[in-house]
Amino acid sequence: MKLFFTTPSARSLAKGVACCVSLCAALSVPLSAHAHRSFLLPSSTVVAGNSPWVSFDAAAASDVFYFDHVPLQLDSLMIVTPDGTMAKAENTSTGKFRSSFDLRLSQTGTYKLSLLNQNVFANYKENGVAKRWRGAPEALGKAIPATAEELQVTQLQGRIETFVTNGKPGKKALEVSGKGLELDAITHPNDLVAGEAAHFRLLLDGKPAAGIKVTVIAGGIRYRQQLGEQVLSTDADGKFSINWQGAGMYWLEASVSDNKATIAAAKERRASYVASLEVLPQ
């Protein structure tokens, strides 16, 4: 469930909903984080210099790019450098609403930062009471009681990404892994300009993901009357184009469900993809 607050009155109504969600958050942070809009937000996407720094915030929130709910954990953070090697985040911290870290861009080129969700979600009943659990696949056996009834397990494959470039953009870090839902950047993600359409392709397990709904929302929701999201669809080759509404940060999200789970206990797979993209003025 996503919370879309399109008008001030709707946002007021949504505060009550948010309170309920916050209660859920106290009980189960991972589940409620999934229900909100998650993002990995860089302080800059394009920099230049001798080892410049960029700071990042990771959170799940009601409004895009505002920190009002829960932090995302950084355990699964992967940083691919311009030459394809892995970099390490520095000065990591996790607070009430967000996790933060810094990255020194010691190489020239493009870096890809990804938070990966490789978990399972289980619904079941115990003594007639509906329960749910989310965690690592290897913990499933111990977490679910042997007496569980109507057990349904779903494999989750999620990516939350952003991209930053030091100097000249590069493509090595943009290579896809062939696992889950991924973005194939036809237009470089750090070469986005207002007034110029950007072209991307979604891949599922490395193959074109056709007919997938893609939602694009400009930042600054708090200060406008309408959400203003763009809902696009991938073509037969997984391609889609975005006509930007202006300069600024944008949140992109897509997801798909199928029966191609690779975990024996799961009959369904849910693959999702989220990116934070910056569009610069002309």
Side-chain angles (χ1 to χ4, degrees), residues 217-239:
I217 302 175
I221 295 174
R222 186 190 299 268
Y223 305 112
R224 62 176 183 263
Q225 294 289 335
Q226 301 295 326
L227 181 61
E229 81 270 34
Q230 296 185 61
V231 181
L232 312 168
S233 182
T234 60
D235 65 14
D237 196 32
K239 295 179 180 178

Side-chain angles (χ1 to χ4, degrees), residues 25 72 77 122 126 128 138 146 153 174-175 184 196 223-224 227 229-230 267:
L72 297 181
L77 176 64
E126 185 175 21
E138 55 272 21
V153 179
L174 304 182
E175 295 178 356
D184 179 20
E196 297 180 4
Y223 305 112
R224 62 176 183 263
L227 181 61
E229 81 270 34
Q230 296 185 61
K267 297 185 181 301

Side-chain angles (χ1 to χ4, degrees), residues 198-281:
H199 306 282
F200 302 108
R201 174 163 46 196
L202 279 179
L203 301 175
L204 182 60
D205 298 333
K207 299 178 181 178
I212 302 297
K213 186 179 76 173
V214 180
T215 301
V216 181
I217 302 175
I221 295 174
R222 186 190 299 268
Y223 305 112
R224 62 176 183 263
Q225 294 289 335
Q226 301 295 326
L227 181 61
E229 81 270 34
Q230 296 185 61
V231 181
L232 312 168
S233 182
T234 60
D235 65 14
D237 196 32
K239 295 179 180 178
F240 63 100
S241 299
I242 305 174
N243 294 306
W244 307 108
Q245 299 168 343
M249 292 299 303
Y250 284 78
W251 182 83
L252 181 153
E253 186 268 344
S255 62
V256 62
S257 297
D258 60 24
N259 60 359
K260 297 182 179 178
T262 58
I263 296 173
K267 297 185 181 301
E268 181 186 13
R269 172 181 67 164
R270 295 179 188 171
S272 62
Y273 182 85
V274 171
S276 299
L277 303 169
E278 185 177 33
V279 177
L280 299 175

